[in-house]
Amino acid sequence: MDDCIFCKIIAGDIPSECVLSTEAAFAFMDIGPLAAGHCLLIPRSHYETVDQMPAEEAAAVLGELPALVKAVQTATGCKGVNVLQNNGRVANQLVPHVHFHIIPRNPNDAWSFNWPAGEYTGDHMAELGDAIRKALS
Ligand code: 5GP
Ligand code: ZN
């Protein structure tokens, strides 16, 4: 895709610090890291959001995830890792090419997660579970 910054990175038109390159996947250092060692794992093909990816391609890209997470842990010595993937502007996706953030974490680091957990009332959880199962079938 011509005007996609990550497609340009894959093509080599924009320089990046590449850490992994396979037939289906590409990974590179995030230019605005939430922590040193923050990497992005992306499909070589352009898909805006993860739901648009063929399952086989998603499997090929995510097949690289365990080794990449391990390598980031080894290289940075971090104590934990967040894997984060945003879909859509409302979910804070700024670059419209699927990407998985691999973010090193350490005790008392700068990044905190706001997770205002809600709760279901009545049969709402079961109803939504039913709707999701139907949508999957
Ligand atoms: P999003 O908010 O879309 O999930 O995250 C996009 C990420 O891409 C951000 O963390 C941002 O720092 C990173 N990013 C944006 N442009 C570039 C770039 O040109 N090079 C690299 N290496 N990372 C980028
Ligand atoms: Zn792209």
Coordinates of all heavy atoms in Angstrom, one line a residue, residues 67-129:
A67 N 9.4 -16.5 20.1 CA 10.9 -16.3 20.0 C 11.2 -14.8 20.1 O 12.3 -14.5 20.7 CB 11.4 -16.9 18.7
L68 N 10.4 -14.0 19.5 CA 10.7 -12.5 19.6 C 10.6 -12.0 21.0 O 11.4 -11.2 21.5 CB 9.8 -11.8 18.6 CG 10.0 -10.3 18.5 CD1 11.5 -10.0 18.1 CD2 9.1 -9.7 17.4
V69 N 9.5 -12.4 21.7 CA 9.4 -12.0 23.1 C 10.6 -12.5 24.0 O 11.1 -11.7 24.8 CB 8.0 -12.6 23.7 CG1 8.0 -12.4 25.2 CG2 6.8 -11.9 23.1
K70 N 11.0 -13.7 23.7 CA 12.1 -14.3 24.5 C 13.4 -13.5 24.1 O 14.2 -13.2 25.0 CB 12.3 -15.8 24.1 CG 13.1 -16.6 25.0 CD 13.0 -18.0 24.7 CE 13.9 -18.8 25.6 NZ 13.9 -20.2 25.3
A71 N 13.6 -13.1 22.9 CA 14.8 -12.4 22.5 C 14.8 -11.0 23.1 O 15.8 -10.5 23.6 CB 14.8 -12.3 21.0
V72 N 13.6 -10.4 23.2 CA 13.5 -9.0 23.8 C 13.8 -9.2 25.3 O 14.5 -8.3 25.9 CB 12.1 -8.4 23.6 CG1 11.9 -7.2 24.4 CG2 12.0 -8.0 22.1
Q73 N 13.3 -10.2 25.9 CA 13.6 -10.4 27.4 C 15.1 -10.7 27.6 O 15.7 -10.1 28.5 CB 12.8 -11.6 27.9 CG 11.4 -11.3 28.2 CD 10.6 -12.6 28.5 OE1 10.8 -13.7 28.0 NE2 9.7 -12.5 29.4
T74 N 15.7 -11.5 26.7 CA 17.1 -11.8 26.8 C 18.0 -10.5 26.6 O 18.9 -10.2 27.4 CB 17.5 -12.8 25.8 OG1 16.8 -14.0 26.1 CG2 19.0 -13.2 25.9
A75 N 17.6 -9.7 25.6 CA 18.4 -8.6 25.2 C 18.3 -7.4 26.3 O 19.3 -6.7 26.5 CB 18.0 -8.1 23.9
T76 N 17.1 -7.3 26.8 CA 16.9 -6.1 27.7 C 17.0 -6.5 29.2 O 17.1 -5.6 30.0 CB 15.5 -5.5 27.5 OG1 14.5 -6.4 27.9 CG2 15.3 -5.1 26.0
G77 N 16.8 -7.8 29.5 CA 16.8 -8.2 30.9 C 15.6 -7.8 31.6 O 15.5 -7.8 32.8
C78 N 14.5 -7.5 30.8 CA 13.3 -7.1 31.5 C 12.6 -8.2 32.3 O 12.9 -9.4 32.0 CB 12.3 -6.5 30.4 SG 11.7 -7.8 29.2
K79 N 11.8 -7.9 33.2 CA 11.1 -8.9 34.1 C 9.8 -9.4 33.5 O 9.3 -10.4 34.0 CB 10.9 -8.3 35.5 CG 12.2 -7.8 36.2 CD 13.0 -9.0 36.6 CE 14.3 -8.6 37.3 NZ 15.5 -9.1 36.6
G80 N 9.3 -8.6 32.6 CA 8.0 -9.0 32.0 C 7.8 -8.3 30.6 O 8.6 -7.5 30.3
V81 N 6.8 -8.7 29.9 CA 6.5 -8.1 28.6 C 5.0 -8.0 28.4 O 4.2 -8.9 28.8 CB 7.0 -9.1 27.5 CG1 6.5 -8.6 26.1 CG2 8.6 -9.1 27.5
N82 N 4.6 -6.8 27.9 CA 3.2 -6.7 27.4 C 3.2 -6.8 25.9 O 4.0 -6.2 25.2 CB 2.6 -5.3 27.8 CG 2.2 -5.2 29.2 OD1 2.7 -4.4 30.0 ND2 1.2 -6.0 29.6
V83 N 2.3 -7.7 25.4 CA 2.0 -7.8 24.0 C 0.7 -7.1 23.7 O -0.3 -7.4 24.3 CB 2.0 -9.2 23.5 CG1 1.6 -9.3 22.0 CG2 3.3 -9.9 23.7
L84 N 0.7 -6.0 22.9 CA -0.4 -5.1 22.8 C -0.7 -5.0 21.3 O 0.2 -4.9 20.5 CB -0.1 -3.8 23.4 CG -1.1 -2.8 23.6 CD1 -2.1 -3.2 24.6 CD2 -0.5 -1.5 24.0
Q85 N -2.0 -5.0 20.9 CA -2.3 -4.8 19.5 C -3.6 -4.0 19.4 O -4.7 -4.4 20.0 CB -2.5 -6.2 18.9 CG -2.5 -6.3 17.4 CD -3.8 -6.1 16.8 OE1 -4.8 -6.6 17.3 NE2 -3.9 -5.3 15.7
N86 N -3.5 -2.9 18.8 CA -4.7 -1.9 18.7 C -5.4 -2.0 17.4 O -4.7 -2.1 16.3 CB -4.2 -0.5 18.9 CG -3.5 -0.3 20.2 OD1 -3.8 -0.9 21.2 ND2 -2.5 0.6 20.3
N87 N -6.7 -2.0 17.4 CA -7.4 -2.1 16.1 C -8.4 -0.9 16.1 O -9.4 -0.9 16.9 CB -8.2 -3.4 16.0 CG -7.4 -4.6 15.8 OD1 -6.8 -4.8 14.8 ND2 -7.2 -5.3 16.9
G88 N -8.2 0.0 15.2 CA -9.1 1.2 15.0 C -8.7 2.4 15.9 O -8.0 2.2 16.9
R89 N -9.0 3.5 15.4 CA -8.6 4.8 16.1 C -9.2 4.8 17.5 O -8.5 5.3 18.4 CB -9.2 6.0 15.3 CG -8.4 6.3 14.0 CD -6.9 6.4 14.2 NE -6.5 7.5 15.1 CZ -6.1 8.7 14.6 NH1 -6.0 8.9 13.3 NH2 -5.8 9.7 15.4
V90 N -10.4 4.3 17.7 CA -11.0 4.3 19.0 C -10.2 3.5 20.0 O -10.2 3.7 21.2 CB -12.5 3.9 19.0 CG1 -12.6 2.4 18.7 CG2 -13.2 4.3 20.2
A91 N -9.4 2.5 19.5 CA -8.5 1.7 20.3 C -7.1 2.2 20.3 O -6.2 1.4 20.6 CB -8.6 0.2 19.8
N92 N -6.9 3.4 19.9 CA -5.5 4.0 19.9 C -4.6 3.5 18.8 O -3.4 3.7 18.9 CB -4.8 3.9 21.2 CG -5.4 4.8 22.2 OD1 -5.9 5.9 21.9 ND2 -5.3 4.4 23.5
Q93 N -5.2 3.0 17.7 CA -4.4 2.6 16.5 C -4.1 3.8 15.7 O -5.0 4.4 15.1 CB -5.0 1.5 15.7 CG -4.1 1.0 14.5 CD -4.8 0.0 13.6 OE1 -6.0 -0.2 13.7 NE2 -4.0 -0.6 12.8
L94 N -2.8 4.2 15.6 CA -2.4 5.4 14.9 C -1.9 5.0 13.5 O -2.1 5.7 12.5 CB -1.3 6.2 15.6 CG -1.7 6.7 17.0 CD1 -0.6 7.5 17.6 CD2 -3.0 7.6 16.8
V95 N -1.2 3.8 13.4 CA -0.7 3.4 12.1 C -1.6 2.3 11.6 O -1.7 1.2 12.2 CB 0.8 2.9 12.2 CG1 1.2 2.3 10.9 CG2 1.7 4.0 12.7
P96 N -2.3 2.5 10.4 CA -3.3 1.5 10.0 C -2.7 0.3 9.2 O -3.1 0.1 8.1 CB -4.2 2.4 9.1 CG -3.4 3.5 8.6 CD -2.3 3.7 9.6
H97 N -1.7 -0.3 9.8 CA -1.1 -1.6 9.3 C -0.9 -2.4 10.5 O -0.3 -2.0 11.5 CB 0.2 -1.3 8.6 CG 0.9 -2.5 8.0 ND1 1.4 -2.5 6.7 CD2 1.3 -3.7 8.6 CE1 2.0 -3.7 6.5 NE2 1.9 -4.4 7.6
V98 N -1.6 -3.6 10.5 CA -1.6 -4.5 11.7 C -0.2 -4.5 12.4 O 0.8 -4.8 11.7 CB -2.0 -5.9 11.4 CG1 -1.8 -6.8 12.6 CG2 -3.5 -5.9 11.0
H99 N -0.1 -4.3 13.7 CA 1.2 -4.5 14.4 C 1.0 -4.9 15.8 O 0.0 -4.5 16.5 CB 2.0 -3.2 14.3 CG 1.2 -1.9 14.7 ND1 0.3 -1.3 13.9 CD2 1.2 -1.2 15.9 CE1 -0.2 -0.3 14.6 NE2 0.3 -0.2 15.8
F100 N 1.9 -5.7 16.3 CA 1.8 -6.2 17.6 C 3.0 -5.6 18.4 O 4.2 -5.7 18.0 CB 2.0 -7.7 17.7 CG 0.8 -8.5 17.0 CD1 0.8 -8.6 15.6 CD2 -0.2 -8.9 17.8 CE1 -0.3 -9.3 15.0 CE2 -1.3 -9.5 17.2 CZ -1.3 -9.7 15.8
H101 N 2.7 -4.8 19.4 CA 3.7 -4.2 20.3 C 4.3 -5.2 21.2 O 3.5 -6.0 21.9 CB 3.1 -3.1 21.1 CG 2.5 -1.9 20.4 ND1 3.3 -0.7 20.2 CD2 1.4 -1.7 19.8 CE1 2.5 0.1 19.5 NE2 1.4 -0.4 19.2
I102 N 5.6 -5.3 21.3 CA 6.2 -6.1 22.3 C 7.0 -5.1 23.2 O 7.9 -4.5 22.8 CB 7.2 -7.1 21.7 CG1 6.3 -8.1 20.9 CG2 8.0 -7.8 22.7 CD1 6.8 -8.4 19.5
I103 N 6.5 -5.0 24.5 CA 6.9 -3.9 25.3 C 7.5 -4.5 26.6 O 6.9 -5.1 27.4 CB 5.7 -3.0 25.7 CG1 5.0 -2.5 24.5 CG2 6.2 -1.8 26.6 CD1 3.6 -2.0 24.7
P104 N 8.8 -4.3 26.8 CA 9.5 -4.8 28.0 C 8.9 -4.1 29.2 O 8.7 -2.9 29.2 CB 11.0 -4.4 27.8 CG 11.1 -4.1 26.3 CD 9.8 -3.6 25.9
R105 N 8.8 -4.8 30.3 CA 8.3 -4.3 31.6 C 9.2 -4.6 32.7 O 9.8 -5.7 32.8 CB 6.9 -4.8 31.9 CG 5.8 -4.6 30.9 CD 5.6 -3.1 30.6 NE 5.4 -2.3 31.7 CZ 4.2 -2.0 32.3 NH1 3.1 -2.5 31.6 NH2 4.0 -1.3 33.3
N106 N 9.3 -3.7 33.6 CA 10.1 -3.8 34.8 C 9.4 -3.2 36.0 O 8.5 -2.4 35.9 CB 11.5 -3.1 34.6 CG 12.4 -3.9 33.8 OD1 12.8 -5.0 34.1 ND2 12.7 -3.4 32.6
P107 N 9.7 -3.7 37.2 CA 9.1 -3.1 38.4 C 9.2 -1.6 38.4 O 10.3 -1.1 38.1 CB 9.8 -3.8 39.6 CG 10.5 -5.0 39.0 CD 10.7 -4.7 37.6
N108 N 8.2 -0.9 38.8 CA 8.2 0.5 38.9 C 8.6 1.3 37.7 O 9.2 2.4 37.7 CB 9.1 1.0 40.1 CG 8.7 0.3 41.4 OD1 7.5 0.2 41.7 ND2 9.7 -0.3 42.1
D109 N 8.3 0.7 36.5 CA 8.6 1.4 35.3 C 7.6 2.5 35.0 O 6.6 2.6 35.7 CB 8.8 0.5 34.1 CG 7.6 -0.4 33.7 OD1 6.5 0.0 34.2 OD2 7.7 -1.4 33.0
A110 N 7.8 3.2 33.9 CA 7.1 4.5 33.7 C 5.7 4.3 33.2 O 4.8 5.2 33.3 CB 7.8 5.4 32.7
W111 N 5.4 3.1 32.7 CA 4.1 2.9 32.1 C 3.1 2.2 33.0 O 3.4 1.1 33.6 CB 4.4 2.0 30.8 CG 3.2 2.0 29.9 CD1 2.5 3.0 29.5 CD2 2.7 0.8 29.2 NE1 1.5 2.6 28.6 CE2 1.6 1.3 28.4 CE3 3.0 -0.5 29.2 CZ2 0.9 0.4 27.6 CZ3 2.2 -1.4 28.4 CH2 1.2 -0.9 27.6
S112 N 1.9 2.8 33.1 CA 0.9 2.1 33.9 C -0.3 1.8 33.1 O -0.6 2.6 32.1 CB 0.5 2.9 35.2 OG -0.2 4.0 34.8
F113 N -1.0 0.8 33.4 CA -2.1 0.3 32.6 C -3.4 0.8 33.4 O -3.6 0.4 34.5 CB -2.1 -1.2 32.6 CG -2.3 -1.8 31.3 CD1 -1.9 -1.1 30.1 CD2 -2.8 -3.1 31.2 CE1 -2.1 -1.7 28.9 CE2 -3.0 -3.6 29.9 CZ -2.6 -3.0 28.8
N114 N -4.3 1.5 32.7 CA -5.5 1.8 33.3 C -6.6 0.8 32.9 O -6.9 0.7 31.7 CB -6.0 3.2 32.8 CG -7.3 3.7 33.5 OD1 -7.7 3.1 34.5 ND2 -8.0 4.6 32.9
W115 N -7.0 0.0 33.8 CA -7.9 -1.2 33.5 C -9.1 -1.1 34.3 O -9.2 -1.7 35.4 CB -7.1 -2.5 33.7 CG -7.8 -3.7 33.1 CD1 -9.0 -4.2 33.5 CD2 -7.4 -4.5 32.1 NE1 -9.3 -5.3 32.8 CE2 -8.3 -5.5 31.9 CE3 -6.2 -4.5 31.3 CZ2 -8.2 -6.5 30.9 CZ3 -6.1 -5.4 30.3 CH2 -7.0 -6.4 30.1
P116 N -10.0 -0.2 34.0 CA -11.2 0.0 34.8 C -12.2 -1.1 34.6 O -13.2 -0.9 33.8 CB -11.7 1.4 34.3 CG -11.2 1.5 32.9 CD -10.0 0.7 32.8
A117 N -12.0 -2.2 35.2 CA -12.8 -3.4 35.0 C -14.3 -3.1 35.4 O -14.6 -2.5 36.4 CB -12.3 -4.5 35.8
G118 N -15.2 -3.5 34.5 CA -16.6 -3.3 34.7 C -17.2 -4.6 35.3 O -16.4 -5.5 35.7
E119 N -18.5 -4.7 35.3 CA -19.1 -6.0 35.7 C -20.4 -6.1 34.9 O -21.0 -5.2 34.5 CB -19.3 -6.1 37.2 CG -20.2 -5.0 37.8 CD -20.3 -5.1 39.3 OE1 -21.0 -6.1 39.7 OE2 -19.8 -4.3 40.0
Y120 N -20.8 -7.4 34.7 CA -22.0 -7.7 34.0 C -23.2 -7.7 35.0 O -23.0 -8.1 36.1 CB -21.9 -9.0 33.3 CG -21.0 -9.1 32.1 CD1 -19.7 -9.7 32.2 CD2 -21.3 -8.4 30.9 CE1 -18.8 -9.7 31.2 CE2 -20.4 -8.5 29.9 CZ -19.2 -9.1 30.0 OH -18.3 -9.1 28.9
T121 N -24.3 -7.3 34.5 CA -25.5 -7.5 35.3 C -26.5 -8.5 34.6 O -26.4 -8.6 33.3 CB -26.3 -6.2 35.5 OG1 -26.5 -5.6 34.2 CG2 -25.4 -5.2 36.4
G122 N -27.3 -9.2 35.3 CA -28.3 -10.1 34.8 C -27.6 -11.1 33.9 O -26.6 -11.7 34.2
D123 N -28.3 -11.3 32.7 CA -27.8 -12.3 31.7 C -26.9 -11.8 30.7 O -26.6 -12.4 29.7 CB -29.0 -13.0 31.1 CG -29.8 -13.8 32.0 OD1 -29.3 -14.2 33.0 OD2 -31.0 -13.9 31.8
H124 N -26.4 -10.5 30.9 CA -25.7 -9.9 29.8 C -24.5 -10.6 29.3 O -24.2 -10.8 28.1 CB -25.3 -8.5 30.2 CG -24.9 -7.6 29.1 ND1 -24.2 -6.4 29.2 CD2 -25.2 -7.7 27.8 CE1 -24.0 -5.8 28.1 NE2 -24.6 -6.5 27.2
M125 N -23.7 -11.2 30.2 CA -22.5 -12.0 29.8 C -22.9 -13.2 29.0 O -22.3 -13.4 27.9 CB -21.6 -12.4 31.0 CG -20.4 -13.1 30.6 SD -19.1 -13.3 31.9 CE -19.9 -14.5 32.9
A126 N -23.9 -13.9 29.4 CA -24.3 -15.1 28.7 C -24.9 -14.7 27.3 O -24.7 -15.4 26.3 CB -25.4 -15.9 29.5
E127 N -25.6 -13.6 27.3 CA -26.2 -13.2 26.0 C -25.1 -12.8 25.0 O -25.2 -13.2 23.8 CB -27.1 -11.9 26.2 CG -28.4 -12.3 26.9 CD -29.1 -11.0 27.4 OE1 -28.7 -9.9 27.2 OE2 -30.1 -11.2 28.1
L128 N -24.1 -12.1 25.5 CA -23.0 -11.7 24.6 C -22.2 -12.9 24.2 O -21.7 -13.0 23.1 CB -22.1 -10.7 25.3 CG -22.6 -9.2 25.2 CD1 -21.7 -8.3 26.0 CD2 -22.8 -8.8 23.8
G129 N -22.0 -13.9 25.1 CA -21.3 -15.1 24.8 C -22.0 -15.8 23.7 O -21.4 -16.3 22.8

